Amino acid sequence: MSTNRRKEVNQIQLGPLFKWLTLAVMIGGCGLLFVYVKNQQHTLGQETRKVEMQIRETRSYNEVLLAKISQLSSRPALQRKLEQTMVALVPIQDNSIARLVPPATAESDGLLRTAANERFRP
Amino acid sequence: MRWLARRRAAVACVLVALVFTGFSARLIHLQVGKHEEYSAIAASKHSFRQIVPARRGLITDRNGEILAANMPARRVIADGSHIKDKAPQVAEVASPYLGIPVDELTKLLTTTSKFKVIMPELDEEKALALQKELDKKGLRGLYFTQNSIRTYPNGPILSHVLGFMSRKNPNDEVLVGVDGIERSMEEQLHGEDGFRHIEHDRAGREIVVYRGQEKAPRHGSNVELTIDMALQSILEAELENAYRELKPDTAVGIIADPKTGEILAMSNRPTFDPNNLNGTKPDEMKNRAIIDMVEPGSTFKIVVSSGALSEHTITEKTQIFCENGRFLYGGRILKDHHGYGSMTVEQILIKSSNIGSAKMALMMGDDKYYEYVRRFGFGERTGVALPGEIPGLVHPPARWDKLTITRMAMGHSVAVTPLQIVMGMSVIANGGKLMKPQIVHAIKDEDGQEIYRSQPEVVREVIPEATAKFVSKALTGVCDDGGTATLARVNGYNVAGKTGTAEKVNPKGGYMDGKYVVSFVGFMPAEDPRFVCLIMIDNAKLSSGLNYGGLVAAPVFSRVAEKTARYLDLVPNAPSMLPIALSEPSSRKVTP
């Protein structure tokens, strides 16, 4: 009886131990996973913020460039440039312009006279 | 004794239980009853609604040339609770970027306020550089919020049409369009701000994980005008030259397409630079093309001629006796510049006879003549999409005295806007149809998708096409030898038009002696008009003998029209006015 009792007292009950250990590991793992995921979220959040800032900066920079281009290509700016560089632009004289009659695109049959349908011409 | 001890213990227990019950009740009250209130207070400490500003739409001309753009900028804000005692260090770093002396900036930064605007508009590049410098040195307390500056690359060119932006109230942070297209298209241009609910940490950095509800901004639409900047530049340059040479009080020029009603150019003098409104006088900001009333003078004679012909009161061949230059009517003598005998309506227009015009109006009668004045669009707003347009002043016949009809026929006793004159002349150039003037060509969303495109809009058919053609032919004679506007001619083209010379109205009543408003309104080519142009010059500093529409405004028209014809590549179709040696341009000989 006493031998049996001693046996019962000292025996490591692997089943429950494993059960509780597993539970503890799972809970701990879940906690660590939660912390890890949370950290990941924060890291990704920071990266998102950085990318958003970069996009915003790039867009702003684009707008700055657009505004600068429109300033530099504005008529007063071009006029100033013309005067600075002493480029003398004169209007083309009327007698230097040759005008062509615009080619007819269709005839009485309504067919467009292009190279592709030239063969249909009667 | 034992009973007493138990009783004491019971009392103590009850007391303790009561205390804890009280605590519990309070906790429940705080957690449940006051949940909303305290959670709102807690949220306000670390979360807020961040505005994501919408970008204002661009304004472009009909060819996409940018007329109003946005220059991104940052508003610099100081948070005293973050700066604490480091104001001198922050000022030392920020001073060169902000252009504020260190001492002054230190004073500004020594604040307990959590939101103090240090500079409303700092260049984007400078703001980014300053931010990096502060981060590098581990300093905080200066923050940058998005803002933008509206810029007008062409400065004073087209400023009256574009308008400008300002605060509605002095304390407003947001700028709105207060004049011109900026105002009339405010709804389309400004877009709609978005928002984002965010939380931040102790350092003020956003915790992206806790980002709440957000709504993207709807950026403003881009507005494309009917204006062609090439024509606008031509008009501006010529008007500026005239303004410098003649030193008038004001000058107005308009170019429009008579067939569509599109305004291709519109210019005013004096002018202003919308990029820098400091020191600009209110008078310089007026778009006189739509808000100034003037007596049109002889340009108004097209109304009576067209009306009388349309009503068959006269025919093209009817001879009207012009009283040899002096016509006594209503107890007053009406004079012509020269004495004329009998003339047809064509000759009356060519010679600009006041007496002939007055007699045609008398033949029509008050009501019919008034009807035609109104049918031409005078006395009502044209409906152009620009703010502040006035209808002009045309009294109904019930308020006329005996002389009014004779005065009105020659463009007096009536007040019209320059734009109305252009649209009135467009009736003749467009086969008798009055068009609604258009200034907005299209509206496009931020992705370039077209939301709106203007379509030519016929207001009414004022006169039959045949009458319009006849008047147009007569107006061609105005610019030929013997007409009043030979200086309006353009080499290689037939020009049709009418001069106008009117005494300047005194705001206190009557007319100003020796001061004239002179104008020329014409179209070209006369056979198939591509544009109508008005030049109006108010009180040119010339002697009275030289201050006529045909001498002052017509030459300006001629220069504008010549350059416009070249830009529009109009094929010359009229005999050259140049000497033979120079008048054989290849352009005249259209190659088969």
Side-chain angles (χ1 to χ4, degrees):
Chain A
M1 184 68 183
S2 63
T3 314
N4 286 343
R5 187 180 295 149
R6 194 160 50 246
K7 243 184 189 175
E8 279 172 16
V9 168
N10 293 331
Q11 192 178 24
I12 297 169
Q13 293 181 354
L14 286 174
L17 180 67
F18 182 73
K19 189 173 81 182
W20 286 109
L21 269 174
T22 309
L23 197 65
V25 167
M26 279 179 76
I27 291 169
C30 280
L32 286 172
L33 192 68
F34 178 78
V35 172
Y36 173 74
V37 169
K38 206 73 184 165
N39 272 343
Q40 283 292 97
Q41 271 187 322
H42 273 284
T43 313
L44 287 173
Q46 292 306 314
E47 278 175 26
T48 306
R49 203 168 69 90
K50 273 185 192 164
V51 171
E52 279 178 353
M53 274 176 69
Q54 277 173 359
I55 290 170
R56 203 161 59 220
E57 279 172 18
T58 309
R59 280 195 180 139
S60 295
Y61 188 56
N62 267 348
E63 278 190 35
V64 170
L65 291 179
L66 183 70
K68 279 186 179 170
I69 288 169
S70 57
Q71 291 276 7
L72 291 170
S73 58
S74 69
R75 281 160 200 275
L78 292 177
Q79 190 62 41
R80 276 197 300 276
K81 196 80 183 162
L82 254 177
E83 284 159 14
Q84 279 171 9
T85 50
M86 312 281 273
V87 179
L89 291 181
V90 290
I92 302 165
Q93 291 303 304
D94 211 24
N95 55 9
S96 305
I97 301 171
R99 287 187 173 80
L100 303 173
V101 173
T105 52
E107 288 186 1
S108 54
D109 56 5
L111 273 179
L112 194 67
R113 297 297 174 210
T114 63
N117 63 8
E118 189 65 21
R119 61 201 168 92
F120 298 116
R121 181 175 278 198
Chain B
M1 205 51 200
R2 192 183 174 105
W3 176 83
L4 192 65
R6 277 187 181 172
R7 194 176 162 192
R8 280 180 183 163
V11 168
C13 282
V14 167
L15 283 175
V16 169
L18 280 174
V19 167
F20 276 98
T21 305
F23 282 150
S24 302
R26 177 67 177 152
L27 274 174
I28 289 166
H29 178 244
L30 289 175
Q31 287 289 339
V32 181
K34 294 261 186 178
H35 173 76
E36 294 291 323
E37 186 186 331
Y38 285 112
S39 59
I41 293 170
S44 71
K45 298 282 182 197
H46 58 81
S47 69
F48 63 99
R49 189 173 186 263
Q50 187 186 44
I51 298 293
V52 185
R55 192 178 58 242
R56 194 171 175 85
L58 304 174
I59 303 177
T60 66
D61 82 340
R62 64 189 302 130
N63 302 314
E65 195 171 321
I66 293 173
L67 306 175
N70 304 307
M71 179 69 93
R74 298 290 178 108
R75 183 180 294 126
V76 186
I77 291 153
D79 183 344
S81 67
H82 288 172
I83 294 175
K84 291 176 183 164
D85 56 348
K86 291 197 174 163
Q89 290 94 313
V90 176
E92 186 79 35
V93 174
S95 172
Y97 296 94
L98 302 180
I100 303 173
V102 178
D103 295 347
E104 201 180 316
L105 191 56
T106 308
K107 276 183 200 165
L108 285 171
L109 296 177
T110 312
T111 176
T112 51
S113 168
K114 283 188 166 187
F115 190 94
K116 184 173 183 180
V117 178
I118 302 295
M119 187 172 267
E121 286 158 355
L122 176 69
D123 285 353
E124 179 78 10
E125 288 163 343
K126 282 185 184 173
L128 291 175
L130 174 56
Q131 177 75 73
K132 275 182 191 161
E133 191 70 17
L134 288 169
D135 287 347
K136 207 167 94 183
K137 300 210 168 159
L139 295 168
R140 65 194 190 109
L142 272 189
Y143 300 104
F144 306 89
T145 59
Q146 267 185 302
N147 199 359
S148 74
I149 306 166
R150 193 69 160 168
T151 63
Y152 304 90
N154 292 295
I157 297 178
L158 201 68
S159 54
H160 297 92
V161 172
L162 296 175
F164 57 93
M165 295 181 66
S166 183
R167 288 174 178 80
K168 252 187 179 175
N169 300 306
N171 297 329
D172 285 355
E173 274 193 25
V174 183
L175 298 177
V176 292
V178 291
D179 203 5
I181 287 293
E182 293 280 24
R183 180 175 167 187
S184 59
M185 291 286 123
E186 173 69 22
E187 200 177 313
Q188 288 77 14
L189 285 167
H190 80 74
E192 192 185 339
D193 287 346
F195 65 84
R196 174 185 285 167
H197 287 280
I198 63 166
E199 292 191 20
H200 57 77
D201 60 15
R202 275 188 68 244
R205 285 188 300 263
E206 184 196 352
I207 307 168
V208 182
V209 185
Y210 300 136
R211 195 176 273 182
Q213 190 190 3
E214 61 184 302
K215 185 185 166 202
R218 181 178 60 77
H219 295 301
S221 305
N222 298 333
V223 174
E224 186 182 293
L225 302 183
T226 56
I227 298 288
D228 188 321
M229 274 308 282
L231 297 180
Q232 181 70 30
S233 300
I234 291 169
L235 186 63
E236 294 271 0
E238 292 303 333
L239 211 62
E240 179 64 26
N241 287 341
Y243 190 66
R244 282 188 187 161
E245 282 171 23
L246 305 167
K247 298 184 174 52
D249 293 347
T250 65
V252 178
I254 302 171
I255 302 177
D257 183 335
K259 290 171 185 166
T260 60
E262 288 175 349
I263 297 167
L264 303 172
M266 182 182 269
S267 178
N268 285 269
R269 288 293 179 281
T271 188
F272 70 101
D273 185 351
N275 294 309
N276 181 18
L277 295 173
N278 293 338
T280 304
K281 294 171 192 155
D283 240 26
E284 295 167 350
M285 295 182 182
K286 279 185 186 170
N287 186 355
R288 294 170 192 280
I290 55 164
I291 64 169
D292 249 12
M293 283 197 293
V294 289
E295 286 196 347
S298 298
T299 51
F300 210 65
K301 286 172 185 163
I302 57 169
V303 178
V304 70
S305 313
S306 309
L309 286 166
S310 303
E311 287 298 311
H312 306 293
T313 310
I314 55 164
T315 67
E316 295 162 14
K317 290 178 181 164
T318 304
Q319 294 283 327
I320 297 166
F321 181 54
C322 293
E323 309 281 345
N324 295 315
R326 289 171 70 85
F327 176 42
L328 179 65
Y329 183 78
R332 301 284 291 270
I333 293 174
L334 184 61
K335 292 177 191 165
D336 271 337
H337 278 291
H338 303 283
Y340 302 113
S342 292
M343 291 199 290
T344 60
V345 61
E346 186 176 356
Q347 288 167 323
I348 287 170
L349 278 173
I350 291 170
K351 299 292 180 192
S352 197
S353 166
N354 296 331
I355 297 170
S357 304
K359 282 197 164 181
M360 280 193 282
L362 287 168
M363 287 159 81
M364 282 180 80
D366 290 359
D367 291 333
K368 266 291 165 220
Y369 177 57
Y370 175 73
E371 185 191 320
Y372 273 89
V373 171
R374 298 304 303 261
R375 284 172 71 84
F376 265 84
F378 298 107
E380 65 180 7
R381 290 181 180 87
T382 62
V384 69
L386 287 170
E389 190 192 12
I390 57 161
L393 195 60
V394 182
H395 291 302
R399 294 177 61 188
W400 292 3
D401 60 24
K402 198 175 177 187
L403 288 171
T404 305
I405 190 166
T406 58
R407 299 291 182 263
M408 202 185 273
M410 57 189 218
H412 291 266
S413 301
V414 61
V416 304
T417 64
L419 184 60
Q420 284 175 336
I421 300 175
V422 170
M423 299 323 291
M425 185 56 91
S426 297
V427 169
I428 308 297
N430 189 36
K433 293 189 187 79
L434 176 69
M435 305 300 293
K436 183 181 173 184
Q438 312 270 3
I439 190 78
V440 176
H441 198 232
I443 299 174
K444 292 175 181 174
D445 68 12
E446 55 184 299
D447 303 320
Q449 295 293 320
E450 215 166 82
I451 304 168
Y452 163 84
R453 179 161 284 272
S454 69
Q455 295 296 330
E457 202 176 308
V458 181
V459 178
R460 68 181 79 89
E461 192 166 333
V462 182
I463 51 171
E465 195 174 349
T467 308
K469 280 196 171 158
F470 176 77
V471 176
S472 169
K473 190 172 147 275
L475 293 176
T476 312
V478 173
C479 304
D480 282 343
D481 292 336
T484 55
T486 50
L487 294 178
R489 284 190 287 192
V490 178
N491 195 26
Y493 303 92
N494 286 319
V495 176
K498 188 75 194 79
T499 55
T501 307
E503 272 188 290
K504 192 172 175 176
V505 176
N506 190 339
K508 292 172 186 168
Y511 292 96
M512 292 176 170
D513 274 344
K515 293 186 176 179
Y516 297 90
V517 178
V518 297
S519 57
F520 181 85
V521 57
F523 52 87
M524 207 180 89
E527 305 78 21
D528 181 21
R530 289 285 304 277
F531 66 91
V532 175
C533 176
L534 165 79
I535 302 293
M536 181 175 279
I537 292 173
D538 176 1
N539 190 26
K541 303 296 178 290
L542 291 167
S543 70
S544 300
L546 294 173
N547 209 348
Y548 290 105
L551 295 177
V552 176
V556 182
F557 169 90
S558 173
R559 289 193 288 272
V560 171
E562 187 182 0
K563 289 178 181 174
T564 302
R566 195 176 287 280
Y567 172 71
L568 296 175
D569 198 22
L570 303 181
V571 180
N573 57 356
S576 174
M577 297 181 294
L578 293 174
I580 294 170
L582 296 169
S583 67
E584 285 298 319
S586 55
S587 56
R588 298 282 151 63
K589 298 169 191 164
V590 176
T591 51

